[in-house]
């Protein structure tokens, strides 16, 4: 069963047997709220609109987690009910959704939505209502400057730190082999823009000359003008702050321009597994770098089981990173509830602030702001598969491909 794309603003309750899921429209019927035996966890996700691709993957991650937990006896002896709404990639809608989940549906706990753009206002709703808010995406620095006590980001590091792993790889190259020039373009998004701007600063510090920069609106669909401008400057390195469709679109546009840089670093888009490969063509994924929080072959607890459950439910597909991040966010919430031995929101938050949690991403821990204290992995597409190329202790490939081969 796929996502619920096209069912904007509808609300759902999941009834599951094993990994077989049935979605039923929910207007209160069959919902126990927060007062029944089931533990009700609410989330609003962008199942339609601009962020529908990663939003639907996050939904899959949450639902697989629910089935695995319920098969394991639930949390503190209570089975899990998920109450998921579609925020349609809208800030106004996500605020209304989380407000309703808390004040009308009276869910026991919350899980976050996708993107910094949506999690910024959603987390504010949760904080005002005294609710723990574990987000699977949303690593923009400004989310963590508001003094919130119950906010936790379930990835290894904040967004801006995604640049670090790639810069470390560039530093590892002999100076004579490093790219001499670079171009930078990014969607005007609070998640992508800080990463690309930081990356530009760090690479300029290494002596790599900037030959092009641009920021384009989130609703941009025609990437041809940007691709033409980049091709005209002929940078050896290209860094792109992409979400998904814009990442695929720029690769296609660069191919039409017959321009291929020696190194290509993209955000987010390459992590959408088969969707990215299908979108750009498998041969054109070769050598593309991106930072990642998770890998399908990681020997972390429950990762093998998660990958197998995802494949069983979704036609033998490999999970996208967004599905894994959502699964990990739910793992964090479960650990907090079990660690606090109850559903008191403050006690759950206090336990999470003071403890490390094992997840399929690896161990996670947080500072007093709820920002994670780890680091990302550097991934690269090689021979149609994603490999980890750095750091060395986590690498699944002998070396990175450089320079990147031309388009096919």
């Amino acid at each position: 069963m796929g996502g619920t794309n096209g069912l904007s603003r509808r609300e759902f309750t999941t009834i599951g047997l094993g990994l077989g899921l049935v979605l039923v429209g929910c207007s209160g019927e069959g919902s126990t709220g927060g007062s029944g035996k089931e533990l009700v966890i609410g989330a609003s996700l962008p199942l339609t609109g601009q962020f529908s691709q990663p939003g639907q993957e996050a939904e899959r991650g949450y639902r697989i987690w629910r089935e695995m937990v319920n098969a394991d006896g639930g949390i503190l002896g209570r089975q899990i009910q998920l109450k998921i709404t579609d925020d349609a990639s809208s800030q106004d809608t996500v605020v209304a959704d989380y407000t309703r989940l808390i004040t009308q549906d009276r869910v026991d706990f919350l899980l976050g939505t996708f993107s910094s753009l949506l999690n910024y206002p959603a987390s504010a709703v949760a904080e005002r209502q005294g609710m723990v808010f574990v987000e699977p995406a949303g690593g923009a620095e400004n989310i963590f400057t508001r003094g919130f006590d119950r906010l936790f980001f379930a990835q290894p590091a904040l967004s801006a730190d995604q640049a670090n792993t790639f810069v470390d790889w560039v530093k590892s190259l002999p100076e004579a082999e490093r790219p001499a020039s670079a171009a930078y373009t990014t969607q005007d998004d609070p998640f992508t823009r800080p990463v690309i701007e930081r990356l530009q600063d760090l690479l300029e510090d290494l002596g790599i000359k900037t030959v092009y920069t641009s920021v384009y609106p989130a609703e941009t669909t025609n990437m041809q003008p940007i691709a033409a401008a980049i091709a005209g400057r002929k940078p050896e390195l290209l860094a792109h702050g992409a979400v998904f469709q814009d990442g695929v679109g720029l690769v296609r546009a660069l191919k039409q321009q017959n321009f291929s840089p020696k190194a290509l670093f993209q955000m987010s888009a390459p992590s959408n597994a088969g969707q990215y490969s299908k979108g750009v063509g498998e041969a054109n994924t070769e050598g593309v770098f991106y930072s990642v929080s998770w890998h399908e072959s990681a020997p972390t607890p429950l990762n093998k089981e998660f990958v197998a459950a995802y494949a069983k439910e979704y036609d033998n597909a490999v999970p996208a990173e967004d599905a894994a991040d959502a699964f990990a966010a739910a793992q964090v919430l479960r650990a907090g509830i079990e660690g606090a031995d109850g559903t008191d929101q403050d006690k759950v938050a206090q336990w999470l602030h003071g403890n490390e949690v094992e997840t399929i991403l690896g161990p996670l821990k947080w500072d007093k702001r709820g920002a994670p204290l780890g680091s990302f992995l550097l991934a690269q597409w090689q021979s149609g598969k994603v490999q980890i190329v750095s750091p060395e202790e986590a690498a699944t490939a002998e070396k990175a491909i450089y320079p990147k081969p031309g388009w096919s």
Side-chain angles (χ1 to χ4, degrees):
M1 181 193 71
T4 55
N5 195 8
L7 302 178
S8 176
R9 297 301 314 278
R10 288 192 62 188
E11 201 165 73
F12 294 92
T13 295
T14 304
I15 301 173
L17 293 174
L19 283 179
L21 304 178
V22 180
L23 293 181
V24 294
C26 177
S27 57
E29 182 180 355
S31 172
T32 61
S35 59
K37 185 178 180 181
E38 290 183 314
L39 192 70
V40 185
I41 300 174
S44 179
L45 290 170
L47 303 179
T48 57
Q50 176 189 350
F51 300 126
S52 61
Q53 178 70 34
Q56 290 172 28
E57 285 294 337
E59 180 193 28
R60 291 179 173 190
Y62 283 158
R63 295 200 183 283
I64 288 175
W65 170 82
R66 172 196 182 274
E67 295 305 316
M68 289 176 64
V69 170
N70 282 348
D72 192 40
I75 298 177
L76 300 180
R78 297 171 67 178
Q79 292 285 286
I80 305 302
Q81 178 195 137
L82 281 181
K83 198 172 186 68
I84 295 178
T85 66
D86 177 15
D87 58 47
S89 305
S90 163
Q91 287 185 308
D92 291 338
T93 303
V94 82
V95 167
D97 281 357
Y98 276 105
T99 299
R100 185 174 66 253
L101 286 168
I102 297 167
T103 63
Q104 296 183 28
D105 298 329
R106 298 189 179 280
V107 299
D108 295 294
F109 284 96
L110 300 173
L111 284 167
T113 185
F114 176 83
S115 82
S116 295
L117 188 71
L118 298 176
N119 273 308
Y120 186 90
S123 59
V125 173
E127 186 74 13
R128 284 196 301 270
Q129 297 291 337
M131 299 283 286
V132 171
F133 193 81
V134 184
E135 53 169 20
E141 180 71 30
N142 65 345
I143 292 180
F144 302 92
T145 60
R146 297 171 292 172
F148 289 179
D149 296 322
R150 302 172 188 86
L151 170 65
F152 300 89
F153 180 37
Q155 286 195 35
L158 293 186
S159 298
D161 294 331
Q162 284 201 22
N164 298 354
T165 55
F166 184 65
V167 173
D168 288 343
W169 173 79
V170 174
K171 285 182 180 178
S172 73
L173 296 173
E175 284 195 38
E177 296 180 16
R178 294 176 186 174
S181 60
Y184 306 88
T185 186
T186 179
Q187 184 177 132
D188 191 7
D189 182 273
F191 167 63
T192 62
R193 188 170 178 175
V195 178
I196 297 303
E197 290 174 347
R198 175 173 171 77
L199 180 58
Q200 180 178 347
D201 289 341
L202 292 173
L203 292 182
E204 286 178 348
D205 288 344
L206 290 180
I208 297 175
K209 181 182 178 181
T210 297
V211 296
Y212 174 84
T213 61
S214 69
V215 178
Y216 55 89
E219 62 272 16
T220 300
T221 57
N222 180 12
M223 304 300 291
Q224 283 291 347
I226 296 171
I230 292 170
R233 302 298 176 88
K234 294 182 172 54
E236 294 187 1
L237 183 154
L238 172 59
H240 182 200
V243 175
F244 178 69
Q245 293 292 355
D246 51 336
V248 172
L250 184 61
V251 169
R252 290 175 173 174
L254 289 170
K255 182 181 177 182
Q256 291 179 6
Q257 292 289 330
N258 197 29
F259 173 74
S260 179
K262 290 175 65 176
L264 173 59
F265 175 87
Q266 281 190 310
M267 292 181 62
S268 293
S271 70
N272 281 279
Q275 293 91 342
Y276 181 76
S277 178
K278 183 178 179 180
V280 303
E282 183 175 298
N284 293 322
T285 64
E286 190 73 0
V288 176
F289 287 102
Y290 66 101
S291 294
V292 69
S293 60
W294 167 86
H295 189 265
E296 63 184 278
S297 300
T300 49
L302 283 185
N303 191 46
K304 183 178 180 180
E305 293 82 353
F306 163 68
V307 172
Y310 188 101
K312 180 179 179 181
E313 187 64 19
Y314 299 109
D315 299 323
N316 293 316
V318 175
E321 181 188 11
D322 296 308
D325 290 338
F327 188 95
Q331 286 184 292
V332 169
L333 180 60
R334 179 186 184 179
I337 297 169
E338 292 180 339
D341 195 26
T343 58
D344 182 277
Q345 300 285 330
D346 288 338
K347 289 182 180 178
V348 171
Q350 290 168 9
W351 190 92
L352 289 175
H353 276 298
N355 290 274
E356 184 176 88
V357 176
E358 287 291 339
T359 75
I360 61 172
L361 311 183
L364 299 178
K365 58 183 178 180
W366 301 268
D367 63 19
K368 64 180 181 180
R369 305 172 299 162
L373 297 171
S375 58
F376 287 102
L377 306 171
L378 181 63
Q380 186 182 53
W381 278 86
Q382 297 186 1
S383 301
K385 294 183 179 180
V386 173
Q387 302 287 358
I388 303 302
V389 296
S390 181
E392 185 176 349
E393 61 270 19
T396 60
E398 291 186 10
K399 62 180 181 178
I401 294 172
Y402 177 77
K404 186 186 76 65
W407 307 122
S408 173

